[in-house]
């Protein structure tokens, strides 16, 4: 029983620390401006085979540097069907930062990414092939936010996603 209590206490401390780490945010596409993305694109419906757009597309010239928007642990780098070349970073407040359609990946799984560190470049991989180069960027909470649920198709999923546009509009440059 003592070991179980120590485990619970340790887990609680780790969880609390994740929320206490400041989440300083920068725009993940170098030199992107508010004109580089559509203010209404988060949770847009219908959105192709994804049904609902759970992020934002930040348009830029192919090969433009993609920066880590916050510090965090790189959980995954690789290729998936829709996202193409992707990076998934666990950042402060137990949030997953998803970077997709990258031309190049310039980090590795289990590396630490510092805020503003170059982690990749803008591209057209995955289902962005044949479209204008852009970074698809989303922020997902590991801990559900039930007050964010809505009544749209896939609305229950909204409690896991934060609107990245709110962060981009106030991002440090």
């Amino acid at each position: 029983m003592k070991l179980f209590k120590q485990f619970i206490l340790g887990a609680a401390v780790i969880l609390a620390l994740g929320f206490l780490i400041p989440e300083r945010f920068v725009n993940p596409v170098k030199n992107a401006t508010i004109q580089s993305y559509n203010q209404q694109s988060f949770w847009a419906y219908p959105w192709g085979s994804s049904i609902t757009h759970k992020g934002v597309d930040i348009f830029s010239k192919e090969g433009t540097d993609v920066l880590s928007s916050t510090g965090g642990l790189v959980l995954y780098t690789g290729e998936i069907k829709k996202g193409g070349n992707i990076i998934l970073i666990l950042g402060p407040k137990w949030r997953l930062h998803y970077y997709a359609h990258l031309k190049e990946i310039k980090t590795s799984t289990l590396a630490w990414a510092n805020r503003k560190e170059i982690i990749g470049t803008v591209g057209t991989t995955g289902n962005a092939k044949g479209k204008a180069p852009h970074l698809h960027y989303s922020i997902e909470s590991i801990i559900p936010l039930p007050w964010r649920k809505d009544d749209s198709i896939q609305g229950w999923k909204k409690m896991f996603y934060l609107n990245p546009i709110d962060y981009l509009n106030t991002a440090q440059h």
Side-chain angles (χ1 to χ4, degrees), residues 3 27 33 130 155:
L3 184 61
N27 191 314
T33 67

Side-chain angles (χ1 to χ4, degrees), residues 6-21:
Q6 288 176 333
F7 172 78
I8 295 298
L9 179 61
V13 168
I14 290 170
L15 185 63
L17 284 174
F19 285 108
L20 295 175
I21 297 170

Side-chain angles (χ1 to χ4, degrees), residues 4 6 10 15 22 24-25 40 73 86-87 89 97 105 107 126 134 136 139 143-144 169:
F4 178 74
Q6 288 176 333
L15 185 63
R24 298 179 319 175
F25 185 88
Q40 306 302 314
L73 178 65
I86 69 156
I87 298 170
I89 296 178
H97 298 262
I105 295 172
T107 188
H134 65 278
H136 174 85
I139 307 170
I143 299 163
N169 289 344

Side-chain angles (χ1 to χ4, degrees), residues 57-68:
D57 294 338
I58 307 169
F59 293 87
S60 188
K61 183 179 166 194
E62 187 170 36
T64 301
D65 288 338
V66 171
L67 314 172
S68 181

